[in-house]
Amino acid sequence: MPDDEAPDAQIDIYVTSGTPPAAEQPLVDAFTAPGVHVRVRAWPARRGTDALDWLFLVALPLHAFLGGFGGRLADDTYRRLRELTRRTPQAPSAPPFVLQDTATGIRVVLGPEADEEAYRKLRSLDLSQFRYDTLRYDAAEARWVSVPSGDDSGA
């Protein structure tokens, strides 16, 4: 299969309640490609200590996205996601995006600290060593680390 063709894939983008459709569209656009079916779904509202620390959760076949879909689709999508996660004066502490593997439950937190180097390391990371873990990029250690369950904040 040529590098720029993607196999059929289902990607579900979960948004927190009250997220305006205009906020969803850049993320939908980031994952839109031939053979990729993108659905936006509402995440049930949570209260108290179960409050969500992420803006969007994207459920997708992570291993295929990072490797099998082909470099171009993953690279283009990453660049778009990177732009969406950058802190701006208007949003100095924007919540991160979370990618969740539909096969293993692994979650990858993509915040502003996940630069090009982080992305390269993620693409070469052996995800089979993790199961139902949450990974975030530790810029100080320059590596992806597993964080305690429920800590998707990237802090």
Side-chain angles (χ1 to χ4, degrees):
M1 175 182 307
D3 197 33
D4 58 352
E5 287 184 21
D8 285 347
Q10 178 67 50
I11 295 177
D12 290 321
I13 299 173
Y14 291 91
V15 298
T16 56
S17 61
T19 302
E24 303 165 6
Q25 196 57 51
L27 193 58
V28 170
D29 293 345
F31 284 99
T32 299
V36 177
H37 308 285
V38 179
R39 272 189 311 203
V40 177
R41 308 177 105 188
W43 191 266
R46 295 184 176 217
R47 297 178 188 200
T49 58
D50 287 341
L52 300 173
D53 291 332
W54 46 262
L55 185 60
F56 297 103
L57 182 139
V58 181
L60 73 165
L62 187 59
H63 182 68
F65 172 73
L66 294 173
F69 276 8
R72 229 180 246 157
L73 174 61
D75 290 347
D76 289 348
T77 301
Y78 174 76
R79 278 196 242 357
R80 292 181 207 159
L81 290 176
R82 179 86 178 109
E83 288 301 315
L84 293 173
T85 61
R86 291 198 180 186
R87 289 189 174 123
T88 65
Q90 296 78 20
S93 60
F97 297 97
V98 177
L99 304 180
Q100 179 172 311
D101 185 45
T102 52
T104 65
I106 293 170
R107 288 185 174 186
V108 175
V109 177
L110 291 178
E113 71 285 344
D115 59 9
E116 291 288 331
E117 180 66 18
Y119 175 66
R120 279 192 297 279
K121 288 181 178 185
L122 179 61
R123 289 204 55 193
S124 65
L125 188 63
D126 178 9
L127 295 175
S128 68
Q129 64 183 321
F130 305 99
R131 191 151 189 89
Y132 299 107
D133 285 1
T134 297
L135 305 175
R136 68 170 177 81
Y137 190 71
D138 185 321
E141 294 186 24
R143 67 184 183 103
W144 287 93
V145 296
S146 181
V147 295
S149 180
D151 180 7
D152 295 339
S153 66

